């Protein structure tokens, strides 16, 4: 029987070319006979699970677990920001059948709500008894384990865990600095002088005052500047999020530093240091303002922003590189944005799954060295080769016209709907030298701060949050915009603003946030 399984594994996998490799890989076998488990998978990149993905094929050969796609709601849009429950998941629940495995973006709130009601299996004991790699991972990262817990203390999904710390950074036209005899700004005062020089001294040299000193693809990156006046714009990688300060949950838009920051951003806006169209120009603004030789500085992702240095072939001397966060008015240098270590995306075990032990072992497989490589780099010999014990992408992958990540999604690697631990090395191999230099600069200064990893509410807390938060948030954003655009005055209106927030229930929301936070993180 065992020999037969071995032969089948050898036949099933083209990557296995010798008996010795096949025997070594026997350790990943979860079931002697092929075992089929149904899966619902729905996220932005892939609204179904594809059984012919090379990554699935290799995982199948190694584990003997075969995932069968039964996804419902495949054509629904699932990319809505800030809603935990995707339409596809609700549709699946309404169908009355929950597959053995459910993988989705934004699955966290959904499983934390329906898991305790029996729709999904609690994973804690299964992990303790059958998943040594997951167990080890969570033991080494207790904050991540706490962040995963539902209000009943159980864990209901295995998340997609991003790797690498750095996300966004401050970028500036170094060739414009050179042209004007300036150095990268070290303080908020120098940053203002620099932006003013960009506005008034014609660094692009066309004789017109057409420069747009600070711009942003996503307008909330304008709010990021409040950190220069010791305010905060978000506590996590989600815009407008709550934050942890002194072990308490607070909201950044009710703080003194925020008021001071908004006041100064409004001044910068009035002086033309900020793109007049920042709220409306939209996602193509970086592409447009850089390729037209108009944009001076922004706050955006290391890798993609560094890629614009390709424009040096069209714009003489073009150099758009990261600079360290300028010191705030009190001398603090922080980079507020970083990659969050845990996503609300991943996969869970359906409450009626007849093979929970095999399923958790399958989840555990993706946390073995081999499984993690498969989830990150695709199939060996196809997307990558092993060189000195490291997975190295083939030249054909690195030099393709198709971005590396897109190539990987197409073979079933780097899936948001799979619980796996990303390996930053997969990205470092195709990041350009400007991005790597910038990351080294930020690493040297140690500018990152801790993030708020979210809370799981019980049913009563959820009601309070749902009743008040949407209205409060809308009000905050509406006031914020009028202050920046100069149709309101933040100093004059601040006391009334705080009174309105409390009237709208901010204190109640903060109270349930803090109760949940203390329960979850034991702080
Ligand atoms: Ca000009």
């Amino acid at each position: 029987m065992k020999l037969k399984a071995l032969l089948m594994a050898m036949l099933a996998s083209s990557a296995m070319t010798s008996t010795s490799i096949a025997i070594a890989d026997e350790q990943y076998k979860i079931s002697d006979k092929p075992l089929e488990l149904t899966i619902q998978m729905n996220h932005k990149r892939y609204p179904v699970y594809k059984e012919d993905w090379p990554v699935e094929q290799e995982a199948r050969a190694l584990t003997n677990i075969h995932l069968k796609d039964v996804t419902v709601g495949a054509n629904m849009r699932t990319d809505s920001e800030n809603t935990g429950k995707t339409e596809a998941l609700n549709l699946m629940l309404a169908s009355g059948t929950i597959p053995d495995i459910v993988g989705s973006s934004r699955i966290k709130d959904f499983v934390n709500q329906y898991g305790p009601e029996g729709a999904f299996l609690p994973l804690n004991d299964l992990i303790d008894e059958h998943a040594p790699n997951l167990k080890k991972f969570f033991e080494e990262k207790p904050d991540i384990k706490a962040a995963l817990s539902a209000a009943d203390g159980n864990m209901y999904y295995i998340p997609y865990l991003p790797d690498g710390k750095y996300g966004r950074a401050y970028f500036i036209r170094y060739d414009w600095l050179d042209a004007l005899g300036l150095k990268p700004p070290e303080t908020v005062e120098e940053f203002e002088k620099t932006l003013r020089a960009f506005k008034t001294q014609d660094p692009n040299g066309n004789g017109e005052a057409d420069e747009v000193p600070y711009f942003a693809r996503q307008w909330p990156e304008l709010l990021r500047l409040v950190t220069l006046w010791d305010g905060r714009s978000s506590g996590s990688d989600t815009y407008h999020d709550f934050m942890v300060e002194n072990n308490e949950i607070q909201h950044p838009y009710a703080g003194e530093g925020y008021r001071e920051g908004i006041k100064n951003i409004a001044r910068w806006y009035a002086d033309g240091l900020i793109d007049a169209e920042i709220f409306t120009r939209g996602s193509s603004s970086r592409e447009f303002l850089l390729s037209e030789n108009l944009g001076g500085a922004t706050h955006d992702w290391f890798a993609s922003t560094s890629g614009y240095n390709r424009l040096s072939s069209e714009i003489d001397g073009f150099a758009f590189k990261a600079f360290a966060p300028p010191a705030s008015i009190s001398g603090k240098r922080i980079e507020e944005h970083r990659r969050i270590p845990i996503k609300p995306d991943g996969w869970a075990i359906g409450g009626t799954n007849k093979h929970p032990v095999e399923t958790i072992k399958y989840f555990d497989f993706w946390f073995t060295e081999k499984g993690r490589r498969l989830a990150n780099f695709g199939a060996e010999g196809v997307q990558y080769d092993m060189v000195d014990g490291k997975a190295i992408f083939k030249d054909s992958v690195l030099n393709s016209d198709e971005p590396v990540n897109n190539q990987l999604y197409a073979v079933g690697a780097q899936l948001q709907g799979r619980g796996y631990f990303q390996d930053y090395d997969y990205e470092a191999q195709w990041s350009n030298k400007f991005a790597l230099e910038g990351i080294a600069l930020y690493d040297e200064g140690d500018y990152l701060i801790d993030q708020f990893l979210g809370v799981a509410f019980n049913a009563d807390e959820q009601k309070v949050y749902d009743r008040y938060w949407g209205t409060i948030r809308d009000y905050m954003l509406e006031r914020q915009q009028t202050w920046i655009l100069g149709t309101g005055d933040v100093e004059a209106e601040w006391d009334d603003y705080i009174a309105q927030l409390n009237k709208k229930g901010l204190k109640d929301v903060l109270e349930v946030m803090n109760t949940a936070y203390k329960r979850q993180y034991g702080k």
Side-chain angles (χ1 to χ4, degrees):
M1 194 64 223
K2 190 126 184 170
L3 183 66
K4 195 180 166 199
L6 186 68
L7 286 168
M8 281 176 63
M10 287 170 66
L11 287 170
S13 169
S14 60
M16 294 176 191
T17 50
S18 77
T19 311
S20 64
I21 291 173
I23 288 168
D25 285 341
E26 216 23 32
Q27 62 177 296
Y28 301 108
K29 192 126 296 175
I30 292 163
S31 166
D32 281 339
K33 286 188 203 163
L35 175 65
E36 280 191 357
L37 296 174
T38 54
I39 182 165
Q40 155 104 10
M41 183 168 278
N42 206 320
H43 54 86
K44 210 168 176 177
R45 289 162 198 154
Y46 277 99
V48 288
Y49 190 86
K50 291 194 180 165
E51 291 161 39
D52 61 355
W53 274 330
V55 170
E56 157 65 19
Q57 295 291 322
E58 192 171 331
R60 217 179 245 211
L62 289 165
T63 63
N64 238 349
I65 302 290
H66 296 197
L67 299 196
K68 296 285 293 177
D69 180 47
V70 294
T71 302
V72 295
N75 298 320
M76 309 290 289
R77 289 192 44 157
T78 59
D79 56 352
S80 47
E81 283 283 336
N82 296 317
T83 59
K85 300 153 201 169
T86 67
E87 292 157 300
L89 286 172
N90 284 323
L91 207 63
M92 175 199 77
L93 206 61
S95 79
T97 311
I98 298 174
D100 294 321
I101 296 174
V102 178
S104 174
S105 47
R106 318 291 305 176
I107 199 173
K108 179 184 172 179
D109 289 349
F110 190 81
V111 295
N112 284 350
Q113 181 177 354
Y114 296 108
E117 294 174 17
F120 298 97
L121 295 183
L123 305 180
N124 303 39
D125 291 347
L126 285 169
I127 290 171
D128 270 355
E129 289 160 31
H130 306 287
N133 296 287
L134 281 165
K135 192 177 173 194
K136 182 163 174 279
F137 184 89
F138 291 127
E139 275 171 2
E140 285 167 2
K141 298 179 169 64
D143 262 15
I144 286 185
K145 189 176 183 191
L148 271 173
S149 300
D152 68 359
N154 279 313
M155 187 191 294
Y156 289 96
Y157 83 110
I158 303 296
Y160 152 43
L161 299 141
D163 191 28
K165 291 187 287 186
Y166 297 96
R168 295 173 184 268
Y170 291 92
F171 276 79
I172 199 160
R173 284 287 297 269
Y174 274 62
D175 54 325
W176 285 10
L177 294 175
D178 282 348
L180 303 178
L182 297 168
K183 287 198 160 57
E186 296 281 339
T187 64
V188 57
E189 292 84 5
E190 286 179 19
F191 194 23
E192 180 175 335
K193 275 184 198 150
T194 304
L195 295 176
R196 212 173 284 284
F198 283 180
K199 182 73 189 166
T200 57
Q201 297 178 27
D202 192 24
N204 68 5
N206 65 351
E208 293 174 42
D210 54 352
E211 287 80 359
V212 177
Y214 183 87
F215 64 94
R217 242 178 346 142
Q218 285 97 3
W219 66 263
E221 292 304 327
L222 172 60
L223 305 173
R224 201 71 79 182
L225 300 179
V226 302
T227 57
L228 303 175
W229 287 273
D230 295 335
R232 291 287 303 277
S233 78
S234 178
S236 76
D237 73 338
T238 302
Y239 290 128
H240 324 301
D241 202 359
F242 293 83
M243 63 177 182
V244 181
E245 204 149 272
N246 305 321
N247 265 330
E248 282 232 348
I249 309 278
Q250 297 179 23
H251 200 279
Y253 298 167
E256 297 286 313
Y258 170 76
R259 177 181 69 181
E260 191 64 21
I262 292 292
K263 184 177 78 182
N264 283 283
I265 290 172
R267 188 172 56 78
W268 284 17
Y269 186 85
D271 289 355
L273 308 188
I274 286 160
D275 183 7
E277 295 174 47
I278 197 151
F279 289 107
T280 51
R281 200 188 289 275
S283 59
S284 63
S285 56
R286 183 179 59 173
E287 172 74 28
F288 173 76
L289 292 169
L290 290 178
S291 54
E292 294 294 314
N293 199 12
L294 296 171
T298 194
H299 188 258
D300 209 324
W301 287 84
F302 270 113
S304 62
T305 311
S306 297
Y308 281 92
N309 286 292
R310 64 177 176 267
L311 289 171
S312 62
S313 64
E314 294 154 40
I315 301 168
D316 194 32
F318 183 97
F320 199 51
K321 299 195 293 181
F323 68 107
S328 74
I329 47 169
S330 71
K332 288 195 206 98
R333 305 184 81 148
I334 65 160
E335 172 49 61
E336 190 183 48
H337 182 264
R338 68 186 296 173
R339 291 186 194 211
I340 200 151
I342 171 175
K343 283 288 197 182
D345 319 325
W347 57 16
I349 304 182
T352 51
N353 182 317
K354 299 276 195 300
H355 303 280
V357 173
E358 287 86 349
T359 309
I360 201 73
K361 285 183 173 173
Y362 182 72
F363 285 4
D364 196 57
F365 162 72
W366 297 98
F367 281 73
T368 64
E369 201 181 316
K370 195 173 189 79
R372 188 180 179 206
R373 204 150 59 217
L374 185 59
N376 275 281
F377 293 89
E380 186 173 353
V382 185
Q383 277 76 41
Y384 74 92
D385 293 311
M386 288 302 285
V387 181
D388 298 330
K390 283 180 70 181
I392 303 293
F393 283 122
K394 284 180 171 291
D395 287 344
S396 58
V397 170
L398 293 174
N399 300 329
S400 166
D401 287 340
E402 187 71 10
V404 174
N405 47 2
N406 288 356
Q407 295 178 62
L408 292 169
Y409 306 149
V411 298
Q414 297 285 346
L415 299 181
Q416 281 172 280
R418 173 183 290 135
Y420 78 104
F421 183 23
Q422 195 176 49
D423 182 346
Y424 179 69
D425 192 45
Y426 114 89
E427 194 176 316
Q429 286 184 36
W430 45 278
S431 295
N432 78 16
K433 74 179 173 78
F434 299 103
L436 297 175
E437 277 170 20
I439 286 169
L441 175 72
Y442 273 53
D443 215 28
E444 199 180 319
D446 196 18
Y447 304 117
L448 297 182
I449 53 176
D450 284 343
Q451 279 193 322
F452 171 47
L453 299 179
V455 291
F457 292 128
N458 65 28
D460 288 341
E461 291 159 356
Q462 186 72 48
K463 273 184 207 146
V464 172
Y465 180 87
D466 290 346
R467 188 184 312 143
Y468 297 123
W469 177 240
T471 314
I472 298 170
R473 186 176 177 277
D474 288 350
Y475 176 71
M476 284 171 159
L477 297 188
E478 182 260 315
R479 292 318 301 151
Q480 177 179 81
Q481 191 162 343
T482 63
W483 290 331
I484 293 170
L485 296 177
T487 48
D489 179 340
V490 63
E491 286 289 345
E493 294 167 30
W494 186 257
D495 290 346
D496 177 56
Y497 168 72
I498 294 292
Q500 288 293 328
L501 292 180
N502 289 328
K503 202 172 143 192
K504 291 176 193 298
L506 181 61
K507 277 186 179 163
D508 303 81
V509 172
L510 288 172
E511 194 179 312
V512 296
M513 295 281 309
N514 276 297
T515 306
Y517 180 71
K518 286 187 177 73
R519 177 178 62 232
Q520 197 162 347
Y521 296 90
K523 285 172 182 167

